Amino acid sequence: MSGPTVAVLGGGQLGRMLALAGIPLGLRFRFLDPSPDATAGRVGHLVVAPLDDESGLSEVVEGADVATYEWEGVPAASASFLEARLPVHPGPRALEVAQDRLAEKRCFERLGIPIPPFAPVDDEDGLRAAVREIGLPAVLKTRRGGYDGKGQLVLRDPGEVPEAWSRLGGTPLLLEAHVPFDRELSVVAVRGRDGSTHCYPLVENHHREGILRLTLAPAPDLDRTLQERAEQAVRGLLEDLDHVGVMAVELFQQDGTLLANEMAPRVHNSGHWTIEGAATSQFENHLRAVLGWPLGSADALGASAMVNWIGAMPPAPAVLALEGTHLHDYEKAPRPGRKVGHATVTAPDPATVLRRLTGLAEGTGLDLAWLAPRTGAGERR
Amino acid sequence: MSGPTVAVLGGGQLGRMLALAGIPLGLRFRFLDPSPDATAGRVGHLVVAPLDDESGLSEVVEGADVATYEWEGVPAASASFLEARLPVHPGPRALEVAQDRLAEKRCFERLGIPIPPFAPVDDEDGLRAAVREIGLPAVLKTRRGGYDGKGQLVLRDPGEVPEAWSRLGGTPLLLEAHVPFDRELSVVAVRGRDGSTHCYPLVENHHREGILRLTLAPAPDLDRTLQERAEQAVRGLLEDLDHVGVMAVELFQQDGTLLANEMAPRVHNSGHWTIEGAATSQFENHLRAVLGWPLGSADALGASAMVNWIGAMPPAPAVLALEGTHLHDYEKAPRPGRKVGHATVTAPDPATVLRRLTGLAEGTGLDLAWLAPRTGAGERR
């Protein structure tokens, strides 16, 4: 017999991986996505309509027991429309906060979570004032709608203000200090309907051109204090937002300090390693949470490295020839800068993972030469 | 971009789990099954037709790159029909041998694989002669078509011959000595197109009413010699049959001796633990093999126990509440004696697995009291 049906707003690879985790549990999936090619349509029923289309929204939840989303850009009005019809997890507060970088930063501040200095920017004069207040270099970001490095740029000289304003201005912005950091980390956690929470170990992320390229899990040289600080931050957020489901928080590490960069109220690219590398994957735990089912252990099973395939997939046999490598092809059309798949390399220990990762890079032509050195500033997103 | 398309004859849970292993690799699936409710239809395109229907066979392989099957009962003529159109793995020799218990036993004998004494039976007089030759108790089996304990019965007294003949006779039979054994084991192995072979560790199986109930992986008290003997047997078979894909061999252990019971030229119920419990699942390795891709490691990641849900599923939350438990619901309608799902319990060590298994039994009402004691004859299938 089939179990509950889950409606998902968004039908990309995150939705697809939710379904691949949920189908073995007997769950059925319905997706809403504006594209008829949405990859989640291979593993569930796809309703093709914009995410703010009421007839599409009504159709995707037909017979569904719970609704969730794979993208924090889901219009708040859509979430409210659905909430009148069935349980929607995570709830609207997480969406509101995640959709507005200013609300997000104020939430971090309110909860005592350290963040880099920042200032809201509404016009070109405001940008000049913010540059004086924050100093340079600094990152100018749109308050809404950016992802994968889109909607942001680095300001290094006050003379760049007019061009920066002309490129991003006309919409509410935010200027953030370009703090020096040792490395970028993230923490993924899940909270159930009953408030129980599990945190995955902190992972180390490497970006290039604003796109996540590599995640090492658990983060190398992870100590108990660092993990506790990250867990404190994410648990504070989960409780404050009464969040149900998975949440990820991206962090900058400066010595022993963690500064929050941003949060995502959904399954996260830096958690893909959990499919093979953790006792329970982030996808299965998100589903367990939104269904009110018991959560699974978030323990790592060993060491893992996750690499994203950007633009195009390598030949499958070249990836699979390497021991401990798990391939994920999202079946997306190749396009420069597009995440089309990932691979996770697992091993009992980090040294073996790094050796296998090197083998994977050699076997597939994956360029890891840009990898940020462990100390010194990595590429700022 | 999508990878190759795989056509599968049979659309039951084995086909479903093949697809769930293959979709992440970018594969697409087409299934042929006589039932419109075939569970694999949730994860691929389902062609509804008998497995010997030429138009159904033609349709299921449209656009497919390779054909395989999830059931050894696939008519040999169907395999031949397809072989003229696309690569079919495993090839027809494995089907011929697996479909006829007499051919199977002669194959074991020819390869020097020990088996219990047996005699072919074609009529009631022949059955009497076989009883004199083999002795009692003995198991009378149809040469073709039995599964899950169907098509066989145990003869304990010569006076039972007429009734046994009336129940199973009229079709070629085989009488097999009811050898005393310590336990039932099985070995699952996979062979690639290039002849490379990987063997999973031997597992211990517990049956009840002819149906597999529990698999412990690796088999408790497994020693190197036993594993080597099993690997020698299955490697001999794989090479002799020029088999490509997964094969399972069921064995009886008598002290240090392994007697082959039967083989299955496909993914096997006693290999379901490999989804979470091995470096590469039997399903992924079968797909890698039939596609000519590199095989993955068959190493166990720790200890596992797999229990079948027979007749009906337990409530999902009761299963998931237990740490290290992985649920598989085949979305099949409940029916007495039907395999409708399974759960795999994983842990770093066998003692923890047994503790968790006990918790699972308590939480779901699963009856494990019938478990065969480690020594002394288990229930004969």
Side-chain angles (χ1 to χ4, degrees):
Chain A
M1 296 295 283
S2 297
T5 294
V6 180
V8 184
L9 305 192
Q13 64 266 23
L14 301 178
R16 176 183 164 101
M17 288 186 275
L18 280 172
L20 287 170
I23 293 171
L25 304 178
L27 306 181
R28 299 210 176 172
F29 289 84
R30 298 173 66 83
F31 296 95
L32 180 65
D33 198 280
S35 167
D37 298 324
T39 179
R42 319 270 185 230
V43 287
H45 178 78
L46 178 65
V47 176
V48 180
L51 297 186
D52 58 359
D53 179 89
E54 291 201 354
S55 80
L57 288 164
S58 297
E59 189 182 342
V60 77
V61 299
E62 268 171 32
D65 298 281
V66 65
T68 188
Y69 42 86
E70 57 136 41
W71 182 49
E72 63 271 34
V74 166
S78 298
S80 303
F81 178 84
L82 292 184
E83 281 208 311
R85 286 159 181 78
L86 80 173
V88 180
H89 297 293
R93 290 202 55 209
L95 277 183
E96 281 164 29
V97 169
Q99 285 177 1
D100 180 349
R101 291 185 194 276
L102 185 58
E104 188 181 31
K105 291 194 181 290
R106 296 213 158 123
C107 178
F108 287 142
E109 283 186 318
R110 186 167 44 77
L111 296 171
I113 299 169
I115 53 171
F118 73 95
V121 171
D122 292 315
D123 52 34
E124 195 171 335
D125 280 347
L127 178 53
R128 283 181 223 284
V131 164
R132 283 191 299 273
E133 181 190 338
I134 302 296
L136 292 181
V139 190
L140 186 65
K141 301 177 173 181
T142 55
R143 272 175 57 182
R144 292 180 169 271
Y147 72 98
D148 281 356
K150 296 185 175 79
Q152 57 181 272
L153 54 79
V154 179
L155 266 175
R156 302 188 184 278
D157 186 280
E160 294 167 357
V161 163
E163 196 201 327
W165 179 255
S166 75
R167 280 182 56 197
L168 294 185
T171 181
L173 303 176
L174 182 143
L175 190 72
E176 186 184 295
H178 190 317
V179 296
F181 59 86
D182 303 325
R183 58 176 175 171
E184 295 187 62
L185 302 171
S186 61
V187 62
V188 172
V190 59
R191 184 166 176 268
R193 284 196 192 174
D194 62 357
S196 62
T197 302
H198 288 258
C199 279
Y200 292 91
L202 272 166
V203 300
E204 180 178 304
N205 298 320
H206 295 263
H207 292 81
R208 190 185 185 195
E209 292 159 6
I211 302 175
L212 180 66
R213 304 289 169 144
L214 170 70
T215 294
L216 299 175
D221 307 319
L222 180 58
D223 66 34
R224 189 67 225 148
T225 310
L226 212 59
Q227 178 71 21
E228 277 166 10
R229 283 183 186 155
E231 291 198 11
Q232 197 180 7
V234 72
R235 282 180 201 274
L237 277 166
L238 289 168
E239 277 167 37
D240 183 72
L241 300 173
D242 194 18
H243 186 87
V244 171
V246 162
M247 171 180 285
V249 182
E250 298 184 13
L251 304 151
F252 301 124
Q253 182 179 359
Q254 287 180 325
D255 299 318
T257 303
L258 293 176
L259 299 177
N261 178 28
E262 60 182 59
M263 57 85 100
R266 54 164 169 81
V267 289
H268 194 257
N269 195 170
S270 73
H272 290 0
W273 66 275
T274 62
I275 297 175
E276 295 89 8
T280 317
S281 82
Q282 66 166 346
F283 300 100
E284 181 171 334
N285 256 337
H286 182 76
L287 294 168
R288 292 189 188 203
V290 303
L291 288 163
W293 288 358
L295 302 181
S297 162
D299 290 350
L301 297 177
S304 301
M306 189 280 316
V307 294
N308 275 332
W309 304 114
I310 308 295
M313 291 297 296
V319 175
L320 297 176
L322 198 80
E323 192 174 346
T325 300
H326 308 273
L327 180 64
H328 297 263
D329 180 340
Y330 307 151
E331 292 187 81
K332 289 165 73 172
R335 186 194 300 164
R338 191 181 210 195
K339 291 174 180 169
V340 295
H342 77 268
T344 298
V345 182
T346 57
D349 58 90
T352 307
V353 162
L354 287 178
R355 190 163 44 72
R356 290 179 177 175
L357 182 63
T358 306
L360 179 64
E362 285 166 0
T364 60
L366 181 73
D367 181 12
L368 291 179
W370 52 269
L371 252 185
R374 178 61 42 78
T375 53
E379 183 198 5
R380 180 55 181 267
R381 298 168 65 190
Chain B
M1 297 295 282
S2 298
T5 294
V6 180
V8 184
L9 305 192
Q13 65 265 24
L14 300 178
R16 176 182 165 102
M17 289 186 273
L18 279 171
L20 287 169
I23 293 170
L25 304 178
L27 307 181
R28 298 209 177 174
F29 289 84
R30 299 172 67 82
F31 296 96
L32 180 64
D33 198 279
S35 167
D37 298 324
T39 180
R42 320 270 186 229
V43 287
H45 178 78
L46 178 65
V47 176
V48 180
L51 297 185
D52 59 358
D53 179 88
E54 290 201 356
S55 81
L57 288 163
S58 296
E59 190 182 342
V60 77
V61 299
E62 267 171 32
D65 298 281
V66 65
T68 187
Y69 43 87
E70 56 137 41
W71 182 49
E72 64 271 33
V74 165
S78 299
S80 303
F81 178 84
L82 292 183
E83 280 208 312
R85 285 157 181 79
L86 81 173
V88 180
H89 296 294
R93 288 201 57 209
L95 276 184
E96 280 165 30
V97 169
Q99 286 178 359
D100 181 348
R101 290 184 194 278
L102 184 59
E104 189 181 28
K105 289 191 182 293
R106 294 213 160 123
C107 177
F108 287 142
E109 281 186 320
R110 185 166 46 76
L111 296 171
I113 299 170
I115 52 172
F118 73 94
V121 170
D122 293 314
D123 52 37
E124 196 173 334
D125 280 346
L127 177 53
R128 281 181 225 284
V131 165
R132 283 191 300 271
E133 180 190 339
I134 302 295
L136 293 183
V139 190
L140 185 65
K141 301 177 174 181
T142 55
R143 273 173 58 180
R144 292 179 169 272
Y147 73 99
D148 281 356
K150 297 186 174 77
Q152 56 181 271
L153 54 80
V154 180
L155 264 176
R156 301 186 186 278
D157 186 279
E160 293 168 358
V161 162
E163 195 202 327
W165 179 254
S166 76
R167 280 181 57 196
L168 295 184
T171 181
L173 303 176
L174 183 145
L175 189 73
E176 187 183 294
H178 190 317
V179 294
F181 59 86
D182 302 324
R183 57 176 175 171
E184 294 188 61
L185 302 172
S186 62
V187 61
V188 171
V190 59
R191 183 166 176 268
R193 282 197 194 175
D194 63 357
S196 62
T197 303
H198 288 258
C199 279
Y200 292 92
L202 272 167
V203 299
E204 179 179 304
N205 299 320
H206 295 264
H207 291 81
R208 191 187 185 194
E209 293 160 4
I211 303 175
L212 180 67
R213 304 289 169 145
L214 171 69
T215 294
L216 300 175
D221 308 318
L222 180 57
D223 66 34
R224 190 66 226 148
T225 310
L226 212 60
Q227 179 71 23
E228 277 167 9
R229 283 182 186 157
E231 291 198 11
Q232 195 180 8
V234 71
R235 282 180 201 275
L237 277 167
L238 288 167
E239 277 168 36
D240 182 73
L241 300 174
D242 194 19
H243 186 86
V244 171
V246 162
M247 170 181 285
V249 182
E250 298 184 14
L251 303 150
F252 300 123
Q253 182 180 358
Q254 288 180 326
D255 298 318
T257 303
L258 293 176
L259 298 178
N261 178 29
E262 61 183 56
M263 56 86 101
R266 53 162 169 82
V267 290
H268 193 256
N269 194 169
S270 73
H272 291 359
W273 67 276
T274 61
I275 297 175
E276 295 89 6
T280 317
S281 81
Q282 65 167 345
F283 300 100
E284 180 171 335
N285 257 336
H286 183 76
L287 294 168
R288 292 190 188 203
V290 302
L291 288 163
W293 287 358
L295 302 182
S297 162
D299 290 350
L301 297 177
S304 302
M306 189 283 312
V307 293
N308 275 330
W309 303 115
I310 308 295
M313 290 297 295
V319 176
L320 298 175
L322 198 81
E323 192 174 346
T325 300
H326 308 274
L327 180 63
H328 298 262
D329 181 338
Y330 307 152
E331 293 188 79
K332 289 164 74 172
R335 186 193 299 164
R338 193 180 207 194
K339 291 174 180 170
V340 294
H342 77 268
T344 298
V345 182
T346 57
D349 59 90
T352 307
V353 162
L354 287 178
R355 190 164 45 73
R356 290 179 176 175
L357 182 63
T358 305
L360 179 65
E362 285 165 2
T364 60
L366 181 72
D367 180 11
L368 290 179
W370 51 269
L371 253 183
R374 179 61 41 77
T375 53
E379 182 198 5
R380 181 54 182 266
R381 299 169 62 190

